[in-house]
Amino acid sequence: MKYLSLAIVSVSLLTACGGAGDSSDSSGVERFNPAPYIAASEQLNGSGYAGSWVGVVNIRRERTNMVNVEISKIAESSRLESLIIRNKSAEAGGGWEMANCAGGFDPMNITIGKIVTEHGDTGREFLIETTRHLTYKASGFRTVGLSPVSYYQENVTVELDFYKVSDDADSLGSVSLNWSDTEGDSTSAIHCALIENKTGGYRTVALSHENDLQLYVAEAVIPPSVEAYVGQNGHTGEIVNRFTLGEQNVQFSEEGPDVWRYNYSVTASNGLGASGQVVLDLLP
């Protein structure tokens, strides 16, 4: 299975994509509360990194020099991201790895006071507060080209805190899938998942399982960003929706902090579709 490069699931300042919005300067966004996950982390007795982690990632974009584009001058987003950290068995080559919502697991290098993951040119960096708390803060300036004649510039600030909430390194929950090109449902464990609240009340969700499943749905984007993507081994193709071609929908029925549950459906312009339910069980 090939991976779609989804900028929204990376905290890399070089690839973080902009949120959709109107031309106003207001940027109210509902921020996720880390308190329940901090409390769960404080109850753990283990000292290792392996287990389930939940983080809150807050991103702020301040935009200037907009040419032939009308978007909000300030955009904010708050992301609840959960992921698995595990130590591979000797038979699998050993070594630490961290789940990535853009697909699969990334090699993880632990040095003094720092964790760095390898994922092409969009690896992640975390500062180690303790073996149960990782943090990071950075800002950077970039130019975003939307077409040969339209672009804007923005300063992006990222702040994140991740907390280990469980020693379980097997699964964060489950996702069911019903593809239009096959009969019946399949169910996969979830190893990375994110829910992102964005300016304007829009939401983005994404998840992955090992190396054979990736799902991403955004309620609103700035073209030509991807609106939805579903890829899984064993099907006639991948669903990639952009430029308002195809349809996608996400409907939440539970919103944490322990259980997050939503139904999703994604259909490409060629008729290939996938739908199902996601259940995230983030607290022990």
Side-chain angles (χ1 to χ4, degrees):
M1 172 184 169
K2 64 181 181 180
Y3 294 138
L4 182 68
S5 179
L6 296 179
I8 194 63
V9 301
S10 173
V11 295
S12 168
L13 297 182
L14 296 177
T15 58
C17 77
D22 56 28
S23 59
S24 69
D25 290 337
S26 62
S27 184
V29 64
E30 183 180 354
R31 293 200 171 194
F32 289 101
N33 180 9
Y37 311 109
I38 295 174
S41 181
E42 292 174 345
Q43 298 301 312
L44 292 179
N45 295 319
S47 59
Y49 294 103
S52 301
W53 291 71
V54 179
V56 173
V57 183
N58 293 316
I59 305 171
R60 179 180 174 87
R61 300 176 176 86
E62 299 175 342
R63 294 159 173 160
T64 58
N65 300 325
M66 289 179 274
V67 176
N68 296 324
V69 59
E70 293 186 5
I71 56 175
S72 57
K73 293 181 180 180
I74 296 176
E76 293 183 337
S77 62
S78 183
R79 178 189 309 167
L80 184 71
E81 183 174 352
S82 52
L83 54 84
I84 295 290
I85 292 179
R86 66 189 185 187
N87 199 351
K88 293 188 295 184
S89 65
E91 293 78 6
W96 289 98
E97 59 183 7
M98 177 184 292
N100 189 320
C101 290
F105 279 77
D106 298 336
M108 189 177 98
N109 301 310
I110 304 174
T111 60
I112 298 177
K114 184 185 297 187
I115 289 176
V116 178
T117 67
E118 302 173 14
H119 190 86
D121 59 356
T122 60
R124 306 180 71 172
E125 181 176 319
F126 304 84
L127 300 180
I128 301 171
E129 296 292 331
T130 69
T131 56
R132 295 179 299 182
H133 180 200
L134 306 177
T135 186
Y136 187 73
K137 180 178 181 179
S139 63
F141 187 80
R142 69 182 192 141
T143 298
V144 181
L146 302 178
S147 77
V149 296
S150 63
Y151 65 89
Y152 62 91
Q153 295 177 315
E154 65 180 6
N155 187 70
V156 186
T157 301
V158 177
E159 298 182 43
L160 64 82
D161 286 278
F162 275 78
Y163 302 92
K164 181 181 173 182
V165 298
S166 169
D167 292 320
D168 181 5
D170 293 328
S171 171
L172 300 163
S174 63
V175 52
S176 64
L177 296 104
N178 187 326
W179 284 80
S180 62
D181 63 346
T182 55
E183 294 185 4
D185 293 348
S186 64
T187 301
S188 295
I190 297 172
H191 296 127
C192 183
L194 68 83
I195 303 166
E196 186 161 6
N197 294 333
K198 307 180 74 172
T199 297
Y202 300 110
R203 219 170 220 181
T204 293
V205 298
L207 62 83
S208 68
H209 163 78
E210 288 286 355
N211 299 310
D212 67 350
L213 171 63
Q214 184 183 352
L215 183 147
Y216 169 89
V217 182
E219 291 183 333
V221 301
I222 299 173
S225 297
V226 172
E227 297 159 358
Y229 174 84
V230 186
Q232 186 182 31
N233 293 334
H235 296 279
T236 56
E238 299 168 326
I239 302 173
V240 184
N241 289 353
R242 53 172 19 123
F243 300 112
T244 68
L245 297 175
E247 297 180 354
Q248 53 275 333
N249 180 65
V250 172
Q251 186 68 46
F252 278 80
S253 57
E254 282 189 75
E255 300 197 25
D258 50 352
V259 176
W260 296 78
R261 187 188 310 266
Y262 62 86
N263 294 328
Y264 70 90
S265 62
V266 182
T267 304
S269 57
N270 63 4
L272 181 63
S275 62
Q277 185 178 84
V278 173
V279 181
L280 297 173
D281 193 358
L282 301 186
L283 291 176

